Amino acid sequence: MKKKILELLLLVVIVISVCICYYLILFYLLLGVYLYLAYKKITQLRSNYPSWEIFNQNLKRNYDFAIIGGSSAYMTVRKHSINKNFMNWTLPEQHFLMCFQCIKHYFGILKKHGKVYILISEKELLLQDKRICLPFHRTIFHPWLYERIALWRICIFSPLWILKCYGVRTFSMYVKHKCNADNNMKIIEDIALFLKERDLDLILVPLKTSESLMNFAKKYKNIQVKCLNDFLKQCGC
């Protein structure tokens, strides 16, 4: 009787061990696939931001235009096939201040009288993320501005952001607070003035054809406004 009980216990232990090994192998396999895809996506995104090491070495310049913005802009660019020669500086959860930093650093690769299109939704104009600088920004800017972080840290510690980069809509755990729309429009106006001084144009493209947003933006004399359909037609979509 005792022998049968021991055999049964041994069998249970073996089954449990096999199941644990199976799920561990499956877990590490899925983790490996995720890390590969995450690293690949971040590397692809970084190709839109020339590193300082190659900034003056055989860098392709004279782009027709750049597109910049946050989550809504990123999803719009993914959704539509844009055929012209442009730089894609859209990122999920990117704040307007970081848009300004990106433009300050990389405007030089646009051709003279080139255009920067900033795509925004009405919600993004009214809401402000508490995290102004994303971990990804710390991989593209010069070290004197932000301390550099390794790409693998983004892969491990920012899984929700990585999923958004692949176009997956996720629930964000980061708390956002209401912001005065005039504050964000002031940042956009500062961007427009910065570009104008360098013979470049900033054009604001409200998404989802928001009439209230279009009218609100037109209050700012230095900001050009174009509706989304006209923008997509100009891009050959």
Side-chain angles (χ1 to χ4, degrees):
M1 183 71 178
K2 287 184 179 180
K3 187 177 180 181
K4 287 186 177 180
I5 292 174
L6 287 173
E7 288 176 350
L8 183 62
L9 287 174
L10 181 62
L11 180 63
V12 170
V13 170
I14 291 173
V15 170
I16 292 174
S17 299
V18 169
C19 289
I20 291 173
C21 290
Y22 170 78
Y23 284 113
L24 278 175
I25 292 171
L26 182 63
F27 170 77
Y28 284 115
L29 182 63
L30 292 174
L31 180 62
V33 171
Y34 162 75
L35 290 175
Y36 168 75
L37 292 175
Y39 193 87
K40 182 179 178 182
K41 172 55 70 174
I42 294 173
T43 304
Q44 177 190 346
L45 289 174
R46 288 187 82 229
S47 66
N48 291 314
Y49 307 87
S51 67
W52 284 82
E53 291 79 10
I54 65 168
F55 200 82
N56 294 311
Q57 299 176 15
N58 302 319
L59 177 65
K60 184 179 178 182
R61 297 176 185 273
N62 296 323
Y63 284 90
D64 294 326
F65 64 93
I67 303 175
I68 199 164
S71 299
S72 298
Y74 184 83
M75 295 300 291
T76 300
V77 173
R78 280 183 59 88
K79 182 180 177 181
H80 300 279
S81 177
I82 299 175
N83 301 319
K84 288 198 174 183
N85 186 25
F86 79 104
M87 292 301 291
N88 179 12
W89 295 333
T90 61
L91 286 173
E93 300 180 6
Q94 182 167 237
H95 186 263
F96 296 114
L97 285 174
M98 280 299 105
C99 290
F100 200 178
Q101 286 288 358
C102 289
I103 289 170
K104 283 180 179 178
H105 279 73
Y106 302 111
F107 74 90
I109 60 179
L110 296 172
K111 70 180 183 181
K112 192 174 182 180
H113 302 301
K115 301 183 186 303
V116 176
Y117 292 93
I118 182 165
L119 280 58
I120 64 171
S121 66
E122 192 166 4
K123 181 180 178 181
E124 286 172 330
L125 190 65
L126 298 174
L127 293 177
Q128 179 178 328
D129 200 322
K130 285 187 175 181
R131 300 176 312 149
I132 289 177
C133 180
L134 296 170
F136 179 83
H137 292 127
R138 299 179 185 273
T139 73
I140 60 175
F141 290 141
H142 197 272
W144 57 258
L145 186 62
Y146 293 108
E147 181 184 356
R148 283 281 175 86
I149 65 169
L151 298 187
W152 62 266
R153 287 184 60 187
I154 303 179
C155 299
I156 294 175
F157 297 112
S158 304
L160 286 179
W161 191 79
I162 294 293
L163 289 175
K164 288 181 180 180
C165 288
Y166 273 102
V168 178
R169 297 186 181 277
T170 63
F171 173 74
S172 179
M173 297 295 292
Y174 295 102
V175 179
K176 297 185 177 184
H177 63 279
K178 286 189 176 181
C179 174
N180 187 337
D182 282 303
N183 293 340
N184 282 333
M185 287 302 296
K186 180 64 172 63
I187 297 172
I188 295 172
E189 189 173 35
D190 289 342
I191 296 173
L193 291 171
F194 174 87
L195 291 172
K196 187 176 181 181
E197 291 170 355
R198 289 154 181 82
D199 294 322
L200 297 167
D201 297 316
L202 178 75
I203 300 175
L204 187 146
V205 182
L207 301 174
K208 296 185 180 177
T209 320
S210 169
E211 229 178 271
S212 59
L213 182 54
M214 292 275 285
N215 294 331
F216 180 74
K218 285 176 180 177
K219 291 195 304 182
Y220 295 81
K221 296 179 182 179
N222 293 310
I223 299 176
Q224 300 180 50
V225 182
K226 183 185 287 285
C227 73
L228 180 61
N229 288 336
D230 291 343
F231 165 72
L232 293 175
K233 285 178 184 177
Q234 185 175 337
C235 295
C237 298

